[in-house]
């Protein structure tokens, strides 16, 4: 480690102790879904390139060791916190926020995962859940 372990632990602990509400998480998710523009204030608060990078990290590492399962099951970027919060982003569509302890062994909200999976399936957010096109519709589109 190239940082002092005590200083790194202190910074990490302070970051984990930020006080946010589920509404705050929802605005964060909606801002990321909106390319970095806060949907309430209409201000750009995150540069587009940074927003894209944040979403990529959320998709690949946002739920600790269950990140791969989350991406397969839910199909959109998400980030959980050790308090029981989860923020989920469907780029170009919107954000979902949940807060509900208790946590699973990986440190993710059990009920938050369930409700987000339900919503993802119900409204079709999973990027990997493609369905075959109807042959009839395909043929009419080709003409």
């Amino acid at each position: 480690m190239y940082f002092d372990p005590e200083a790194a632990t202190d910074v990490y602990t302070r970051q984990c102790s930020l006080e946010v509400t589920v509404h705050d998480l929802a605005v964060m998710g909606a801002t990321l879904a909106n390319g970095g523009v806060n949907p309430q204030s209409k201000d750009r608060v995150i540069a587009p390139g940074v927003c894209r990078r944040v979403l990529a990290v959320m998709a690949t590492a946002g739920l600790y060791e269950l990140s791969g399962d989350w991406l397969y099951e839910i199909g959109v970027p998400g980030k959980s916190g050790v308090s029981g919060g989860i923020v989920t982003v469907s780029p170009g569509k919107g954000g979902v926020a949940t807060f509900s302890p208790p946590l699973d062994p990986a440190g993710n909200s059990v009920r938050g995962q369930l409700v987000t999976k339900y919503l993802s399936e119900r409204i079709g957010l999973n990027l990997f859940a493609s369905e075959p096109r109807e042959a009839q519709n395909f043929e009419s589109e080709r003409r």
Side-chain angles (χ1 to χ4, degrees):
M1 291 178 56
Y2 55 91
F3 288 115
D4 173 49
E6 285 189 37
T9 303
D10 180 61
V11 169
Y12 175 77
T13 303
R14 288 174 189 266
Q15 291 297 312
C16 289
S17 301
L18 293 177
E19 187 173 327
V20 297
T21 66
V22 74
H23 177 268
D24 296 334
L25 290 175
V27 172
M28 290 175 198
T31 300
L32 289 166
N34 200 24
V37 176
N38 182 304
Q40 293 179 322
S41 69
K42 308 297 185 223
D43 294 332
R44 171 162 299 285
V45 294
I46 305 171
V50 173
C51 188
R52 184 175 177 178
R53 186 172 298 273
V54 167
L55 291 172
V57 172
M58 287 174 65
T60 58
L63 273 85
Y64 309 111
E65 65 264 25
L66 296 181
S67 295
D69 295 336
W70 171 271
L71 191 56
Y72 175 78
E73 294 290 331
I74 312 303
V76 290
K79 177 63 185 110
S80 69
V82 295
S83 67
I86 299 178
V87 61
T88 306
V89 179
S90 182
K93 295 180 182 175
V96 174
T98 61
F99 175 75
S100 183
L103 308 179
D104 66 14
N108 304 308
S109 167
V110 173
R111 290 179 288 222
Q113 290 177 81
L114 291 172
V115 75
T116 306
K117 181 178 181 182
Y118 173 80
L119 289 171
S120 178
E121 290 173 354
R122 184 77 177 170
I123 58 180
L125 299 178
N126 191 322
L127 299 169
F128 307 109
S130 60
E131 303 229 355
R133 297 181 72 169
E134 295 290 329
Q136 182 180 10
N137 291 341
F138 181 70
E139 287 300 318
S140 64
E141 288 178 12
R142 290 179 65 193
R143 293 183 202 151

